[in-house]
Amino acid sequence: MATMKDIARLAQVSTSTVSHVLNKTRFVSDDIEKRVKQAAKELNYAPSALARSLKMKCTKTLGMLVTTSTNPFFGEVLKGVERRCYEKGYNLILCNTEGDSERMKASIETLLQKRVDGLLLMCSTLEGEKIEIFERYPELPVVVMDWGPMEYASDKIQDNSFKGGYLATQYLIDNGHRNIGCITGPLHRSQASLRFEGFKQALLDNNLSLNENWITQGNFECDGGFHAYQTLKQNTLKQHTKLPTALFVCNDMMAMGLINAAIQDGLTIPNDLSIIGYDDIHLTKYITPSLTTIHQPKHQLGKVAVDTLLNRLRQPDSPQQIIQLEPTLVERQSVYKIH
């Protein structure tokens, strides 16, 4: 790979002159500028991003830690992150933690060695764990996305999960349903617990009782929804009761798994069982029936996270922010209106 010394030798000028021409830091004659640029072209010279970053103390690179999942939600958020990085002239290094705190620490060490300017964290499976490595790098700008409370002080982007749970349940009630169940996510995670709290509050506000036999905890994956249906059915058989007429399923992946199980069991969606999901992932438009769901602004989540991190880089001493994105209802064909 050609260096400035190689260019200087070919152009018959000093290395400092080459630097001034390429970095436009000092005036040189047209003849010398032409010779230097021609030599650089002949040698296929490319400036060293590493050398420049060491000099400027800025790599124009962000790191992102994410726990991968079969859930396309994460991919749709990542698309928003990547697009915003490109628009702002930044590169992105992506690391998968696979829900392992030790792997997360190793990934952070790697990203620090790469001299990233800041970090985006989207690892909600590690919620509640103390991550000591951040205490060793208190100056490192970090934005946490879609995660519950953590000890480390950072900027945070979150969705209003309580409101989303309330919206979903109220929609079922507005469509005439009174026997309503809920498939929650893992309740140790704040998103799942807040959506469930929103569900319960909507029942309370409408003077409807909560039937524990119609409440089942899932894992935010398709198989969790599939198995939740089996558990729900077993509960009703044991108690000699019927299934609810409607279910709030706390994410779309579980909703799709549950619909699959219900159809295998001979039910028709939505006539026998109405379903509302959460997230509004792209696939939900194209299943049959298309899924009524709560929309999370995934691209906006990615965009706002990048903008917040860049703002932290510009103003490192400004107060930490908690930015809340608001959910909205998307009405499709998976909820039956009881007249």
Side-chain angles (χ1 to χ4, degrees), residues 176-181 203 208-209 211 214 242-247 273 338:
H177 294 275
R178 296 294 178 267
N179 300 323
I180 304 171
L203 292 184
L208 297 177
S209 59
N211 187 329
W214 295 340
K242 294 181 179 180
L243 287 169
T245 64
L247 286 171
L273 181 63
I338 299 176

Side-chain angles (χ1 to χ4, degrees), residues 165-312:
Y166 192 99
L167 279 175
T169 311
Q170 188 61 52
Y171 178 77
L172 295 175
I173 295 168
D174 290 344
N175 277 273
H177 294 275
R178 296 294 178 267
N179 300 323
I180 304 171
C182 182
I183 310 301
T184 76
L187 290 175
H188 66 276
R189 288 166 58 177
S190 60
Q191 296 163 302
S193 63
L194 286 170
R195 291 172 195 178
F196 186 44
E197 289 302 317
F199 165 81
K200 291 190 289 186
Q201 188 63 50
L203 292 184
L204 183 64
D205 289 351
N206 287 274
N207 298 313
L208 297 177
S209 59
L210 185 148
N211 187 329
E212 295 289 348
N213 294 317
W214 295 340
I215 310 300
T216 302
Q217 188 172 168
N219 63 358
F220 278 154
E221 302 290 347
C222 278
D223 63 342
F226 189 94
H227 295 308
Y229 175 81
Q230 311 294 347
T231 302
L232 200 67
K233 186 177 179 182
Q234 290 171 10
N235 288 345
T236 56
L237 288 173
K238 287 178 184 177
Q239 299 298 322
H240 304 289
T241 57
K242 294 181 179 180
L243 287 169
T245 64
L247 286 171
F248 167 40
V249 186
C250 288
N251 83 338
D252 291 344
M253 292 293 282
M254 291 194 300
M256 290 191 291
L258 188 139
I259 287 171
N260 182 266
I263 289 174
Q264 285 187 28
D265 198 38
L267 298 186
T268 300
I269 310 294
N271 297 58
D272 297 325
L273 181 63
S274 290
I275 306 291
I276 186 167
Y278 201 111
D279 284 341
D280 189 28
I281 61 175
H282 187 66
L283 290 173
T284 54
K285 297 178 185 177
Y286 303 107
I287 64 172
T288 302
S290 59
L291 185 66
T292 295
T293 186
I294 299 299
H295 173 77
Q296 282 208 73
K298 296 170 285 298
H299 287 195
Q300 186 185 0
L301 172 60
K303 175 182 178 296
V304 171
V306 173
D307 287 347
T308 302
L309 185 53
L310 297 184
N311 184 63
R312 174 61 52 194

Side-chain angles (χ1 to χ4, degrees), residues 28-256:
V28 298
S29 69
D30 290 344
D31 177 60
I32 291 178
E33 182 178 359
K34 185 176 179 180
R35 280 160 47 196
V36 169
K37 289 184 175 179
Q38 182 61 35
K41 183 177 181 181
E42 289 178 17
L43 293 169
N44 292 319
Y45 171 78
S48 169
L50 177 59
R52 182 169 293 179
S53 67
L54 290 172
K55 183 178 180 180
M56 304 296 292
K57 296 184 179 179
C58 173
T59 62
K60 301 286 282 186
T61 300
L62 304 180
M64 183 173 181
L65 296 173
V66 62
T67 298
T68 57
S69 162
T70 57
N71 191 343
F73 171 85
F74 296 100
E76 293 178 29
V77 173
L78 179 57
K79 187 175 180 180
V81 170
E82 289 178 317
R83 177 176 291 276
R84 193 57 172 171
C85 284
Y86 172 75
E87 291 171 350
K88 292 294 185 178
Y90 274 76
N91 299 307
L92 181 69
I93 300 176
L94 183 67
C95 293
N96 170 27
T97 69
E98 293 191 345
D100 182 343
S101 59
E102 290 304 314
R103 182 164 176 176
M104 180 181 190
K105 293 170 189 174
S107 295
I108 293 171
E109 293 280 13
T110 299
L111 291 170
L112 291 173
Q113 290 169 15
K114 298 289 185 183
R115 295 179 179 271
V116 295
D117 297 332
L119 283 181
L120 299 168
L121 296 185
M122 195 173 184
C123 310
S124 56
T125 53
L126 297 174
E127 181 180 325
E129 294 194 23
K130 186 176 181 180
I131 305 170
E132 290 91 351
I133 190 168
F134 289 134
E135 296 175 0
R136 301 201 332 252
Y137 300 97
E139 74 286 351
L140 179 67
V142 176
V143 172
V144 175
M145 307 164 63
D146 208 31
W147 196 341
M150 61 184 295
E151 293 183 24
Y152 181 75
S154 69
D155 295 306
K156 190 174 188 322
I157 318 296
Q158 62 187 16
D159 81 305
N160 191 339
S161 288
F162 178 88
K163 180 180 177 181
Y166 192 99
L167 279 175
T169 311
Q170 188 61 52
Y171 178 77
L172 295 175
I173 295 168
D174 290 344
N175 277 273
H177 294 275
R178 296 294 178 267
N179 300 323
I180 304 171
C182 182
I183 310 301
T184 76
L187 290 175
H188 66 276
R189 288 166 58 177
S190 60
Q191 296 163 302
S193 63
L194 286 170
R195 291 172 195 178
F196 186 44
E197 289 302 317
F199 165 81
K200 291 190 289 186
Q201 188 63 50
L203 292 184
L204 183 64
D205 289 351
N206 287 274
N207 298 313
L208 297 177
S209 59
L210 185 148
N211 187 329
E212 295 289 348
N213 294 317
W214 295 340
I215 310 300
T216 302
Q217 188 172 168
N219 63 358
F220 278 154
E221 302 290 347
C222 278
D223 63 342
F226 189 94
H227 295 308
Y229 175 81
Q230 311 294 347
T231 302
L232 200 67
K233 186 177 179 182
Q234 290 171 10
N235 288 345
T236 56
L237 288 173
K238 287 178 184 177
Q239 299 298 322
H240 304 289
T241 57
K242 294 181 179 180
L243 287 169
T245 64
L247 286 171
F248 167 40
V249 186
C250 288
N251 83 338
D252 291 344
M253 292 293 282
M254 291 194 300
M256 290 191 291

